[in-house]
Amino acid sequence: MEQALYALMNSIANLTAIVGGNIWWLDRYQNSGYPSVVMTKISGVRGYDMAGPDLLADSRVQFDCDALSFSQATQIRDAVRDGLSGYRGVFSGIDFKGIFFEIERNEFDDTPATDKIYRISMDAIITHKEK
């Protein structure tokens, strides 16, 4: 699911117009710059029925939309949401049954060693068929 979601994110033209190739799993590549999106899988739950595994999974993925201005962070958030919210279909071999955003929070990092980084984090439940 992770590689397919990464490919799906990179196919969203409105998003790549803002962040370019700065879409990452778990950690921003050192010195990659801003703006960027970092995805983190928070949890995963596999489905079962009376016969055993049903091959469906719900993954909670956090999307951190980072920018040097709050305005740009909101543009990234909107591009991610517009591109993924309610998405259903097969992409890169993974059958996405639905992507549903649930939680959003705003924060910023202004430690002396860095520029002020504005972040909008969103959590989505991604239901997908496991291979």
Side-chain angles (χ1 to χ4, degrees):
M1 185 279 300
E2 288 84 350
Q3 292 83 4
L5 182 59
Y6 175 80
L8 180 58
M9 290 281 289
N10 277 283
S11 76
I12 302 170
N14 292 343
L15 177 60
T16 58
I18 301 168
V19 302
N22 284 335
I23 299 172
W24 310 100
W25 270 106
L26 297 178
D27 193 12
R28 250 180 9 86
Y29 186 75
Q30 189 172 12
N31 299 320
S32 63
Y34 295 96
S36 66
V37 177
V38 177
M39 299 176 290
T40 306
K41 185 174 177 181
I42 303 299
S43 64
V45 178
R46 289 183 172 90
Y48 293 88
D49 58 25
M50 295 306 285
D54 65 6
L55 301 181
L56 287 176
D58 287 328
S59 297
R60 178 179 294 275
V61 176
Q62 178 177 307
F63 297 85
D64 291 329
C65 306
D66 297 336
L68 297 176
S69 72
F70 185 69
S71 174
Q72 191 170 54
T74 62
Q75 292 172 355
I76 298 166
R77 174 207 58 204
D78 292 348
V80 170
R81 238 185 359 214
D82 291 348
L84 295 181
S85 185
Y87 179 83
R88 292 183 61 168
V90 177
F91 200 93
S92 291
I94 295 296
D95 188 359
F96 290 98
K97 298 298 187 182
I99 299 177
F100 309 102
F101 285 91
E102 290 192 327
I103 299 169
E104 182 178 315
R105 44 202 177 276
N106 300 335
E107 56 190 88
F108 68 92
D109 179 6
D110 64 349
T111 57
T114 66
D115 294 321
K116 184 179 262 190
I117 307 301
Y118 294 86
R119 172 174 293 147
I120 299 176
S121 294
M122 301 181 294
D123 287 7
I125 299 298
I126 301 174
T127 302
H128 56 93
K129 191 103 170 164
E130 292 189 315
K131 288 186 170 187

